[in-house]
């Protein structure tokens, strides 16, 4: 179990703004929990133990920001891919006279799961990830 003692250690800042820290490529030993370079393969933060969560949270600002940048790139690509897939399905349905697909496509459900995954990791890393928090707070779109 991880000992938490307040005030006796220099802690990393709780929140890292995007591009605040010097980002660098992460090697295997730099990655907390040995996280894969594909954020889609990361376990959901709710499945981590307390010690694992602390290990991620105590990573240096540059490590957390690099992971946040990877997360943002992955989420952006997933969002664009799944949006295009949904648009294609909706177009095909309209052309075939099956009506409109509004919110029921599998692509939209996968897009929502990707957003929840990215949002949970952004919270655990305490980083602002472009495209994730904007959706949560209803800003932009």
């Amino acid at each position: 179990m991880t000992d938490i003692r307040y005030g006796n250690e220099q802690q990393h800042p709780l929140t890292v703004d995007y591009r605040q820290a010097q980002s660098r490529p992460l090697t295997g030993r730099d990655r907390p929990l040995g996280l894969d370079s594909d954020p889609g393969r990361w376990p959901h933060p709710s499945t981590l133990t307390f010690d694992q969560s602390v290990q991620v949270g105590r990573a240096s600002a540059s490590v957390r920001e690099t992971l946040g940048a990877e997360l943002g790139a992955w989420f952006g690509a997933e969002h664009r891919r799944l949006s295009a897939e949904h648009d294609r399905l909706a177009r095909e349905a309209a052309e075939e006279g099956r009506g409109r697909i509004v919110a029921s496509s599998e692509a939209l459900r996968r897009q929502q799961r990707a957003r929840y995954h990215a949002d949970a990791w952004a919270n655990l890393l305490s980083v602002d990830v472009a495209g994730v928090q904007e959706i949560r707070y209803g800003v932009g779109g």
Side-chain angles (χ1 to χ4, degrees):
M1 187 61 108
T2 301
D3 289 334
I4 298 178
R5 284 173 258 165
Y6 296 96
N8 66 346
E9 292 182 32
Q10 179 70 25
Q11 295 293 317
H12 295 294
L14 292 178
T15 302
V16 179
D17 289 327
Y18 190 65
R19 291 187 171 88
Q20 181 180 0
Q22 287 294 86
S23 186
R24 58 183 168 76
L26 295 179
T27 62
R29 65 178 178 78
D30 292 334
R31 291 182 168 278
L33 311 178
L35 293 172
D36 194 284
S37 59
D38 176 7
R41 295 183 183 165
W42 295 355
H44 192 275
S46 66
T47 65
L48 300 179
T49 66
F50 178 77
D51 287 340
Q52 290 172 322
S53 295
V54 168
Q55 182 183 350
V56 172
R58 284 195 168 176
S60 70
S62 63
V63 167
R64 290 185 290 132
E65 180 163 301
T66 299
L67 291 173
E70 289 176 0
L71 184 66
W74 169 82
F75 176 75
E78 279 295 288
H79 183 74
R80 286 186 299 278
R81 183 181 68 78
L82 293 170
S83 291
E85 182 180 335
H86 173 73
D87 291 345
R88 180 186 57 79
L89 291 171
R91 216 175 20 260
E92 288 173 1
E95 288 170 1
E96 294 172 5
R98 293 184 285 139
R100 293 179 44 205
I101 296 177
V102 178
S104 62
S105 80
E106 181 60 28
L108 284 183
R109 285 189 287 278
R110 287 192 312 240
Q111 189 177 42
Q112 187 176 31
R113 283 193 298 270
R115 185 187 67 77
Y116 287 136
H117 182 76
D119 190 41
W121 270 102
N123 287 334
L124 181 62
L125 294 169
S126 296
V127 295
D128 293 327
V129 178
V132 175
Q133 281 86 1
E134 287 86 357
I135 293 173
R136 179 184 349 146
Y137 299 125
V139 176

